[in-house]
């Protein structure tokens, strides 16, 4: 799994991969979570990732289901918590 196009270092990428595995996220779903953590909305995320808006909507619904969340902020909180538990900053 590579995140170089999103400017993520190798150590952070390893931790993101572990987060994705924990919640059984696809690479596309994990990429979306990464972009959403930057504070981008779904339309901006779709442009950044290079997919259609409806694709991103479908992916975010799947992320909500897999993580047991209902809002983007809740997903980001889970992500940040996963990094805090590991005592490593999320870059």
């Amino acid at each position: 799994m590579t995140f170089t196009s999103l400017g993520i270092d190798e150590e952070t990428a390893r931790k993101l991969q572990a987060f994705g595995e924990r919640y059984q996220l696809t690479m596309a779903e994990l990429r979306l979570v990464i972009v959403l953590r930057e504070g981008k909305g779904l339309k901006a995320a779709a442009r950044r990732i290079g997919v259609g808006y409806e694709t991103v909507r479908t992916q975010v619904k799947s992320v909500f289901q897999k993580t047991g969340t209902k809002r983007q902020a809740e997903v980001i909180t889970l992500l940040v918590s996963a990094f805090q538990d590991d005592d490593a900053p999320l870059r």
Side-chain angles (χ1 to χ4, degrees):
M1 193 177 295
T2 62
F3 299 104
T4 54
S5 64
L6 297 174
I8 295 173
D9 65 80
E10 190 174 316
E11 178 65 16
T12 302
R14 183 187 62 76
K15 292 174 183 174
L16 287 167
Q17 183 174 356
F19 177 83
E21 289 171 0
R22 177 178 183 182
Y23 292 101
Q24 299 179 345
L25 301 178
T26 66
M27 178 61 179
E29 292 164 348
L30 187 54
R31 189 179 311 119
L32 174 60
V33 170
I34 293 164
V35 172
L36 291 177
R37 83 156 207 263
E38 298 170 356
K40 301 200 180 295
L42 294 184
K43 288 182 181 179
R47 285 191 300 273
R48 172 102 191 269
I49 296 168
V51 299
Y53 175 71
E54 290 302 320
T55 299
V56 167
R57 280 182 39 123
T58 300
Q59 289 172 348
V60 81
K61 289 176 186 178
S62 180
V63 168
F64 290 163
Q65 179 186 22
K66 290 178 178 182
T67 60
T69 58
K70 296 181 182 177
R71 301 180 60 229
Q72 292 174 32
E74 292 176 84
V75 175
I76 302 312
T77 299
L78 276 180
L79 180 63
V80 169
S81 292
F83 275 75
Q84 288 174 342
D85 292 345
D86 200 23
D87 289 331
L90 175 58
R91 297 180 202 133

